[in-house]
Amino acid sequence: LPLPNNGAIQIGDTVEFALAPGNCGDESPKVDVGIRDQEEDVTLDAVVTDAGVYKYQYCGGEPGNYDINITIGGCHIPGSPFKCEVLDPNQFAIFGLNLQDGYALVCEVVSFQIQGQPPDGETFSIIAHGPQADLNCELKEINEGLRQSSFVPIEPGSYQVFVECASKHVPGSPFTVNVADPSKCQILGIPSQLQIGENEEMIVKTRGAGEGELFAQVSKEDETSYINISKDDQGLGTYHIILEPLRVGEIQLEVRWA
């Protein structure tokens, strides 16, 4: 893990991964694999090396969206559950959309993969319908039955991507890509210093920055004890960030959109 092809394999392919629990105590890892939203999971057996590394294999037996749950002492390890989509090579499928935290950024490439071979004489038609204009998507063949498509959004907003073959949508089409432009955000009232016992507010305006989510946090984990940070959505793309200093020191504050 992470899995190849952005978390997708074909029926019959094998997923292999290893765990090194290290100093997690006496509990052994537990790995369950199952199709999402179905009750029956398969518990994988491990091959344990002399160095204490747990090795696992799983073969995708039927198409579907799988979760790989890895727990120690009943608690998920970081990143768990891992996602794996098992594809039928004889059917159309769209997978591997390369979004970060669910969003794309203006002027950066959005790509995805299409599985399936069009019938003789037919081709794929792929268009990203943007807020103001439609974009034709590039398409290149990776190997027989597998293609990669991409486009570069030129403005923030919501894009509807149509993937059609023989004038019909393939499974998974249309799908939405939310595009953000953090450069359109404005930060007002940045304080140069804070006083313990007195809260300060910053205002962030995101109108015109497209679809996204506002994050405000300190840059380093060891700085979290110096300050409490909260945000208040005022509506119409305006947020208040409330800063409550707790200790004397210096921090670096990150404000991110999407």
Side-chain angles (χ1 to χ4, degrees), residues 108-143:
E108 293 192 6
V109 175
V110 176
S111 66
F112 53 93
Q113 295 181 4
I114 306 168
Q115 178 185 269
Q117 190 67 31
D120 290 342
E122 299 291 349
T123 60
F124 287 107
S125 170
I126 309 171
I127 299 176
H129 297 278
Q132 303 294 332
D134 295 343
L135 303 176
N136 289 317
C137 300
E138 293 185 2
L139 184 66
K140 65 179 181 180
E141 187 168 356
I142 299 174
N143 53 49

Side-chain angles (χ1 to χ4, degrees), residues 6-191:
N6 291 311
I9 63 172
Q10 292 188 352
I11 291 176
D13 286 350
T14 299
V15 175
E16 298 180 350
F17 57 95
L19 297 174
N23 59 354
C24 292
D26 297 330
E27 293 279 353
S28 297
K30 184 176 184 232
V31 178
D32 294 324
V33 179
I35 295 179
R36 201 168 306 153
D37 299 327
Q38 292 189 10
E39 295 183 358
E40 294 184 6
D41 289 346
V42 175
T43 299
L44 302 187
D45 294 325
V47 175
V48 185
T49 69
D50 293 338
V53 175
Y54 290 68
K55 293 187 174 181
Y56 297 89
Q57 285 188 344
Y58 182 73
C59 182
E62 62 177 289
N65 292 310
Y66 286 72
D67 285 333
I68 301 175
N69 297 284
I70 303 177
T71 58
I72 296 178
C75 299
H76 284 274
I77 69 169
S80 176
F82 298 91
K83 310 300 183 186
C84 177
E85 185 175 5
V86 178
L87 305 173
D88 184 343
N90 297 314
Q91 297 178 352
F92 287 125
I94 300 170
F95 64 97
L97 186 61
N98 69 330
L99 303 182
Q100 296 293 326
D101 296 323
Y103 300 99
L105 297 179
V106 164
C107 296
E108 293 192 6
V109 175
V110 176
S111 66
F112 53 93
Q113 295 181 4
I114 306 168
Q115 178 185 269
Q117 190 67 31
D120 290 342
E122 299 291 349
T123 60
F124 287 107
S125 170
I126 309 171
I127 299 176
H129 297 278
Q132 303 294 332
D134 295 343
L135 303 176
N136 289 317
C137 300
E138 293 185 2
L139 184 66
K140 65 179 181 180
E141 187 168 356
I142 299 174
N143 53 49
E144 185 176 359
L146 183 62
R147 293 166 172 79
Q148 179 166 295
S149 181
S150 63
F151 69 96
V152 178
I154 58 176
E155 59 184 334
S158 182
Y159 288 69
Q160 293 291 317
V161 182
F162 284 40
V163 182
E164 298 180 329
C165 183
S167 300
K168 294 182 179 179
H169 285 286
V170 306
S173 172
F175 60 91
T176 301
V177 175
N178 290 319
V179 178
D181 185 355
S183 70
K184 302 285 188 183
C185 296
Q186 292 180 292
I187 303 178
L188 307 175
I190 303 175

